[in-house]
Amino acid sequence: MTKRIFFGLSGGLGPVLRCLPVAEHFRRSGHAAAFSIYGEGSAAFIENRGFKHLPDDDPTVPSAERMITGGPVFYNLDHYYAGAGLLDPEFVQAWIHHRIRMLEKFNADLVITDMSPHTAIAARYLGIPVASITQSCFHPDGQPMHYWGRPPRNLPRVTPVVNRVLNRLGLPDIRRMEQLNAGTLNFIPGIPEMDPVYTNGVRYVGPIEYPAAGPAGARLPDEPFVLVYPGRLQDTAGATGLQLLNHVTEAFGGKAEAVVIAASDGLPERLKAGLPGNVTVIPYFNSHMLKNCRLFIHHGGHGSCLSAIMRGIPSLILPTHTEREFNARKVQETGAGEYMLPGTFTADHLYKLALYIIEDGYKERAGELASLIRSRKYGGAREIYERCMSLMDRRALVLEEL
C-alpha cells in the first residue's frame, strides 16, 4: 500500500541535502513524499528534483513588539526561536494550526522533521508517528548548544508560549524547545565524535550527502586548490556568508594558491568585479569538488564539516552562528581542522593559519577519521527509510487489531 511521507524542514540547503536521499528511497519504492521548507531557493531545489513542495502560505506574521533582534549568537533553541517570532502568542497559534491543516490535507502516514517544531506538534496532535533527523545540539539529550561556557541568566523563553497552544490541543507540556526535536525514531546523520548524545534513543546513521547539488562539469583548477563555501550569503544571523567571502578574498588575493568559491546564491556584482586573478567563482557547491582540494574553508554547516572529513580534507571554519561554532569546535577536537571566529582575525592571520593547516598533520587526522567512518558501515539514508517503513508497518498492524 502506498504511504504518504511529509518532510517538515527549517530552512537552508543543509536539511534538504540530507533529507532528499531519504525521500528518494521512498519514491523508488512507490511511496509519495512531500516537503515544506522556508526559503525560495530551497523550495525550488526540491521541486526541480520532482518532489512536491507545500508552501507555508499563512499570512500571519509575528508582532514586532514581541520579537527580539536575532543574531549569530544564541544559547539554546528557546533563545533562537525568540528571534524568530515565537514570543508572540497569536503568531504561534496560527503557525501551529496552519501546519495541522497542512498535514490533514496531505493525509500523511509518517512525518519526518528536521528542526521543525510546529510540524512535530501538528503530527502529535493528529496521531501521526514522527521520525526526527537531528543533531546533538538540537536534541534534548545531546551536548548543549553552548557546551564550552555557561549561558547568561534571564534569556528569553518561548516554551511557555508554545505550552499554551499545547494545552489547548490537549498535548503535554514541554520544558524546553529541544524536546520537539525528539520523535518516535531519532536519527543523527553523523558520528558520535561530532554529535555526542547521552542516551541510547538515537541512531547514528553516518554522514548523508546528496551529490547532485549542482550541474556537473565545472571548470576547476588542474592543481590542488583551496575550496571556499560560504553557505547562504544572507541568513537570520545577517550577511554572514558575504562577510566570510570578504575575509577570504582579502587574505588570499594575489597569493600563489588557486582559490575556488562555490557560491550557490550568486555573488553581488561589486564583489565579482573586484575578485583577484587567482580566485575563481562557480555558481554551486558539490561535495565531489573536495576530491582535489587542499583545504576547505567554510561556514561550519553540519554537512560541510562531515563532507570534508569523509574525504580526508582538512577544514578551516569561520562559523557564522552558534550552531556552526558547535560544529567547528567538534571538528577541531577531532584534529581534522581549525576554526576562527569572525571579527577576531586579520587577513594575514587567516592566510597564515590556512597555510599551517595545509602543511601540518590535519589532513592525516582527517584521513584517519574518514577510514574509521568507512569501517563502521553506517546505514545512511537507507537505514532511515527502512526503520521508518518498519514503524509504519507496525502501526498499521496495531490499527488493524483495533
Side-chain angles (χ1 to χ4, degrees):
M1 181 182 294
T2 299
K3 303 293 186 183
R4 299 174 66 79
I5 319 300
F6 180 90
F7 288 80
L9 312 185
S10 52
L13 205 53
V16 175
L17 298 183
R18 63 192 187 188
C19 287
L20 273 176
V22 181
E24 290 191 342
H25 278 292
F26 284 110
R27 181 164 63 180
R28 284 195 292 271
S29 299
H31 304 296
F35 288 77
S36 188
I37 190 170
Y38 295 100
E40 293 180 3
S42 297
F45 190 92
I46 288 167
E47 290 178 330
N48 287 341
R49 277 137 189 90
F51 289 99
K52 187 176 183 60
H53 176 258
L54 305 176
D56 193 341
D57 55 4
D58 188 329
T60 309
V61 296
S63 165
E65 291 77 17
R66 294 180 180 271
M67 288 188 69
I68 67 166
T69 302
V73 178
F74 45 91
Y75 295 95
N76 52 47
L77 289 184
D78 268 81
H79 185 192
Y80 173 79
Y81 283 116
L86 269 63
L87 290 171
D88 182 342
E90 289 76 23
F91 171 71
V92 172
Q93 173 89 2
W95 190 55
I96 293 171
H97 278 268
H98 183 268
R99 187 50 51 103
I100 290 172
R101 293 192 296 272
M102 184 183 289
L103 288 184
E104 284 179 322
K105 186 175 181 180
F106 182 67
N107 194 25
D109 296 292
L110 175 75
V111 162
I112 297 179
T113 66
D114 194 325
M115 266 285 280
S116 184
H118 59 322
T119 300
I121 292 170
R124 292 175 189 180
Y125 174 71
L126 296 170
I128 304 169
V130 177
S132 174
I133 297 176
T134 188
Q135 299 165 212
S136 169
C137 59
F138 298 147
H139 191 276
D141 298 317
Q143 194 167 35
M145 180 91 67
H146 198 259
Y147 71 92
W148 54 90
R150 178 179 292 180
R153 291 170 57 82
N154 301 313
L155 290 170
R157 281 176 50 78
V158 304
T159 292
V161 181
V162 172
N163 277 340
R164 291 182 214 170
V165 181
L166 293 177
N167 290 338
R168 294 189 196 107
L169 295 173
L171 296 173
D173 285 356
I174 58 171
R175 296 182 306 279
R176 54 197 179 107
M177 289 298 288
E178 282 80 359
Q179 288 178 256
L180 295 175
N181 287 325
T184 306
L185 300 175
N186 298 279
F187 302 102
I188 291 185
I191 57 177
E193 291 85 348
M194 285 284 293
D195 283 283
V197 175
Y198 309 120
T199 180
N200 292 325
V202 303
R203 291 284 304 183
Y204 292 95
V205 296
I208 297 176
E209 292 186 316
Y210 192 77
R219 178 61 180 166
L220 299 174
D222 294 328
E223 73 273 19
F225 56 89
V226 174
L227 180 62
V228 182
Y229 178 57
R232 287 182 287 176
L233 298 187
Q234 179 111 18
D235 59 18
T236 55
T240 53
L242 194 56
Q243 291 166 4
L244 185 154
L245 292 183
N246 286 331
H247 286 312
V248 172
T249 54
E250 183 181 0
F252 280 87
K255 299 294 198 297
E257 290 76 21
V259 177
V260 175
I261 294 174
S264 55
D265 283 357
L267 297 187
E269 290 301 323
R270 176 188 56 78
L271 181 58
K272 284 197 293 187
L275 286 177
N278 64 317
V279 177
T280 302
V281 178
I282 55 177
Y284 65 92
F285 170 70
N286 189 312
S287 57
H288 290 307
M289 298 172 186
L290 290 162
K291 182 179 179 180
N292 195 37
C293 103
R294 307 170 67 194
L295 176 67
F296 188 26
I297 301 178
H298 58 91
H299 65 320
H302 192 261
S304 297
C305 293
L306 289 166
S307 288
I309 289 173
M310 286 171 65
R311 287 164 178 80
I313 302 300
S315 287
L316 174 51
I317 303 170
L318 310 182
T320 52
H321 59 53
T322 305
E323 177 256 323
R324 292 166 187 161
E325 184 179 348
F326 179 104
N327 301 332
R329 287 173 177 268
K330 288 301 172 188
V331 169
Q332 185 275 323
E333 289 171 13
T334 68
E338 288 286 351
Y339 68 92
M340 308 176 83
L341 294 183
T344 67
F345 54 84
T346 63
D348 186 59
H349 185 187
L350 172 59
Y351 179 69
K352 288 178 178 176
L353 180 59
L355 295 187
Y356 176 77
I357 296 170
I358 291 171
E359 300 296 334
D360 205 66
Y362 294 93
K363 181 176 177 62
E364 180 180 351
R365 178 56 188 142
E368 291 171 352
L369 195 50
S371 296
L372 180 62
I373 292 171
R374 287 192 294 270
S375 73
R376 290 174 178 169
K377 302 185 185 305
Y378 285 114
R382 170 162 282 279
E383 180 175 351
I384 296 176
Y385 158 74
E386 290 175 347
R387 288 181 177 273
C388 286
M389 287 299 302
S390 179
L391 174 63
M392 287 188 286
D393 290 342
R394 291 197 305 271
R395 182 169 182 264
L397 285 175
V398 169
L399 292 176
E400 284 179 12
E401 291 174 359
L402 295 176

